[in-house]
Amino acid sequence: MAGEPQDDCLFCKIVGGQIPATIVRETETTLAFRDINPQAPTHVLVIPKAHYPDAATLAAGAPELAADVLRETRAVADEDKLDSYRVVFNTGAGAGQTVFHAHAHVVGGRGLHWPPG
């Protein structure tokens, strides 16, 4: 069920403290931590603590929580003193989503070219 922790979800386990992560920010509703395979000097994932499988489901089911996630992407960028950065939500396996818990990638600290990948 959307919003409920999932036993087989890596990010739910990070939220629950069962798997360690390098946490950079935490609010009542979100958690931000360093990506284990960074693609830039700053590569932080911002997730809702509640489980939603992807950004589209999160936006439809809990728009206020989606706004919290997006607000925290700015806070992460500010803390890392980024003048410019990219926020990416991969939705679906074909778009590169590998963990099916909604999350935003905050990527910056180097030049980012377009189009990506």
Side-chain angles (χ1 to χ4, degrees), residues 30-52:
T30 65
L31 190 67
F33 53 92
R34 302 266 174 214
D35 193 294
I36 62 168
N37 184 25
Q39 302 300 304
T42 294
H43 189 167
V44 174
L45 304 179
V46 180
I47 68 170
K49 288 183 176 179
H51 181 89
Y52 288 84

Side-chain angles (χ1 to χ4, degrees), residues 51-85:
H51 181 89
Y52 288 84
D54 55 45
T57 305
L58 173 63
E64 67 291 337
L65 183 52
D68 289 349
V69 169
L70 195 54
R71 194 170 14 262
E72 281 302 299
T73 66
R74 168 74 185 266
V76 165
D78 287 349
E79 282 190 3
D80 273 20
K81 297 177 179 35
L82 299 176
D83 292 328
S84 59
Y85 58 96

